[in-house]
Amino acid sequence: MAWIVLVISGILEAVWATALGKSDGFSRPVPTTVFAVALVASMGGLAVAMRTLPIGTAYAVWVGIGATLTVAYAMITGDETASWIKVALLMGIVGCVVGLKLLH
């Protein structure tokens, strides 16, 4: 169950990071609200997962999921340029996250 909570929390990290970028310095109310709600939920889920999982593993997986999804979303929407090397590097992050799960 901790792994499921951790994955959801990682997804929410990508949500709050993206909303933060869209909030225009907290001047836009909807993205700012999405940021705040997703941030609290993401951190809360990470805290719950860390009750069972080692801190280092949980944090690395959480950041890996969030960073990968944030960059992937930005590339898909055109906010960031896509390239084969970026995709390969993101796949490396995903591979490392999977490796941490397999070692646990």
Side-chain angles (χ1 to χ4, degrees), residues 1-92:
M1 186 58 141
W3 283 102
I4 293 169
V5 171
L6 186 61
V7 169
I8 292 168
S9 296
I11 294 167
L12 288 170
E13 184 194 5
V15 171
W16 70 251
T18 300
L20 178 61
K22 304 265 184 209
S23 74
D24 197 25
F26 300 124
S27 66
R28 298 179 58 214
V30 172
T32 299
T33 302
V34 170
F35 161 77
V37 171
L39 177 69
V40 170
S42 178
M43 291 289 178
L46 177 61
V48 168
M50 283 182 171
R51 289 181 187 163
T52 306
L53 302 173
I55 292 170
T57 299
Y59 183 69
V61 169
W62 180 76
V63 168
I65 292 169
T68 300
L69 291 177
T70 301
V71 174
Y73 177 80
M75 288 191 303
I76 290 167
T77 60
D79 290 337
E80 185 166 328
T81 59
S83 70
W84 68 269
I85 191 70
K86 284 184 182 179
V87 172
L89 291 168
L90 290 173
M91 294 306 295

